[in-house]
Amino acid sequence: MKIKTSIGMALLAFILVFNVSCDKSEDNVDTNALELPPYESMAMDFSDFLDDSSDSGKQSASAAKVGENWLYPRIVVGFWNTALFTNLAVPVISFKGAFAHKAELIGENTWQWSYTVDGFASEYTARLTGELTSEEVIWKMYVTKIGTGAFDEFLWFSGVSDLDGNSGEWTLYQSPERPHRMIDIEWSRENDEIGSIKYTWVREMNDEDSDDLFMGSYLEYGLQDGDYDVFYNVHVYDAQYEEFVDVNIEWNSTDFYGRVMAYTHFEDELWHCWDSTGEDVACE
């Protein structure tokens, strides 16, 4: 069965925990009161699902017999992972860098993290602000580049979170050259881990200034009860079929077996399963 690798460019995170002193004067406000959300709330870790091997006992990549039933959903999820970590590497890594720095209070109920971003040949500096309001926390990340292709402060992502720190929304923009809204993220937390996260491709025009056919594509990840404790729901434009397709994936994150349902690819509405080594098996 031919694997469809033309699913196209589509896409792949901030939870907030804070304690605010009752005395709001700057002399008495704890400058560490506003804490950063976990890194995973922007960039969910899909490595176990995308990798042939795992420390938890999966066969090594060279020994695993990866079948079509696991290979196809990995391709689908991989597109979103690539979109987030390659096309938007600078803002994602810039956010990660904030965890190595302390914030300072720069105004009433507003904190700022300011630092140089590591991991790139070019020099980037980041300035992340968090503003506490009566209804939510407002986040903004500004990035500056020095040297070749330099640019002044660019608002690369923004977002809000609920006051209880258990849910929020984020918007990432494409680049200083094309400052278009590109990816929206909705997330929620359960018991100190990401319970659900949804990436939606919202860019209206592609790099050729034509209608972006992938607009409206999304990947949704979540936790659920049962043997298949993780699910992925994917809705994405497939250039080969010139239409949107749906892929539903369920997976056991401990033993690595799973199943996928994708009518366009498998030409039926049945589950197609793989075992803990990645090999195709009949669904029970």
Side-chain angles (χ1 to χ4, degrees):
M1 186 175 299
K2 182 179 179 180
I3 299 171
K4 302 172 180 65
T5 58
S6 59
I7 295 178
M9 277 305 298
L11 247 197
L12 252 253
F14 289 78
I15 299 174
L16 316 157
V17 182
F18 54 85
N19 296 297
V20 181
S21 169
C22 293
D23 186 341
K24 300 288 179 136
S25 68
E26 292 192 12
D27 290 337
N28 294 289
V29 173
D30 178 4
T31 58
N32 293 318
L34 190 64
E35 296 183 7
L36 290 168
Y39 173 64
E40 291 78 13
S41 58
M42 171 171 283
M44 194 67 197
D45 184 6
F46 297 138
S47 59
D48 264 354
F49 185 79
L50 296 174
D51 242 347
D52 287 320
S53 58
S54 168
D55 292 336
S56 301
K58 216 184 302 179
Q59 286 189 10
S60 67
S62 59
K65 297 178 180 179
V66 178
E68 174 77 359
N69 296 346
W70 185 31
L71 183 59
Y72 177 66
R74 286 168 62 201
I75 290 172
V76 176
V77 173
F79 273 113
W80 294 84
N81 196 62
T82 298
L84 190 63
F85 286 98
T86 301
N87 297 331
L88 295 172
V90 173
V92 171
I93 294 177
S94 294
F95 173 53
K96 188 174 184 179
F99 293 89
H101 300 83
K102 291 185 177 180
E104 62 174 331
L105 189 68
I106 61 172
E108 185 174 1
N109 298 328
T110 302
W111 287 259
Q112 176 175 280
W113 292 255
S114 183
Y115 49 92
T116 299
V117 181
D118 298 326
F120 295 99
S122 300
E123 182 176 347
Y124 293 91
T125 58
R127 185 170 68 87
L128 174 64
T129 63
E131 179 185 359
L132 176 65
T133 73
S134 60
E135 298 180 349
E136 60 192 12
V137 182
I138 301 171
W139 297 90
K140 295 180 180 180
M141 169 66 83
Y142 300 91
V143 177
T144 301
K145 183 180 181 181
I146 301 171
T148 304
F151 55 81
D152 293 329
E153 278 197 336
F154 172 62
L155 178 63
W156 219 315
F157 63 79
S158 60
V160 298
S161 66
D162 292 340
L163 294 179
D164 62 6
N166 287 327
S167 62
E169 301 175 357
W170 302 98
T171 295
L172 287 80
Y173 302 91
Q174 182 172 350
S175 68
E177 297 76 24
R178 301 186 63 82
H180 309 301
R181 182 170 155 231
M182 191 172 191
I183 297 172
D184 282 353
I185 301 172
E186 301 172 67
W187 56 266
S188 65
R189 182 176 64 170
E190 295 180 9
N191 301 322
D192 296 325
E193 65 178 324
I194 301 299
S196 67
I197 188 167
K198 183 177 181 180
Y199 300 94
T200 304
W201 192 267
V202 296
R203 189 179 67 169
E204 296 182 358
M205 307 295 290
N206 62 24
D207 291 344
E208 288 72 43
D209 291 321
S210 300
D211 290 342
D212 193 329
L213 298 177
F214 303 105
M215 180 180 175
S217 298
Y218 65 79
L219 178 147
E220 183 179 13
Y221 161 97
L223 304 177
Q224 61 185 7
D225 294 330
D227 292 337
Y228 299 102
D229 58 331
V230 171
F231 70 84
Y232 301 85
N233 292 328
V234 184
H235 178 74
V236 63
Y237 184 81
D238 189 320
Q240 179 171 339
Y241 289 94
E242 298 184 343
E243 64 181 10
F244 283 87
V245 300
D246 294 298
V247 182
N248 301 111
I249 305 161
E250 295 186 339
W251 191 55
N252 183 287
S253 61
T254 300
D255 295 324
F256 311 112
Y257 58 83
R259 60 186 185 177
V260 57
M261 182 185 297
Y263 175 80
T264 303
H265 182 76
F266 292 102
E267 299 180 347
D268 60 43
E269 295 182 352
L270 303 174
W271 287 109
H272 296 261
C273 298
W274 66 88
D275 64 16
S276 59
T277 70
E279 191 169 3
D280 291 353
V281 294
C283 296
E284 296 180 359

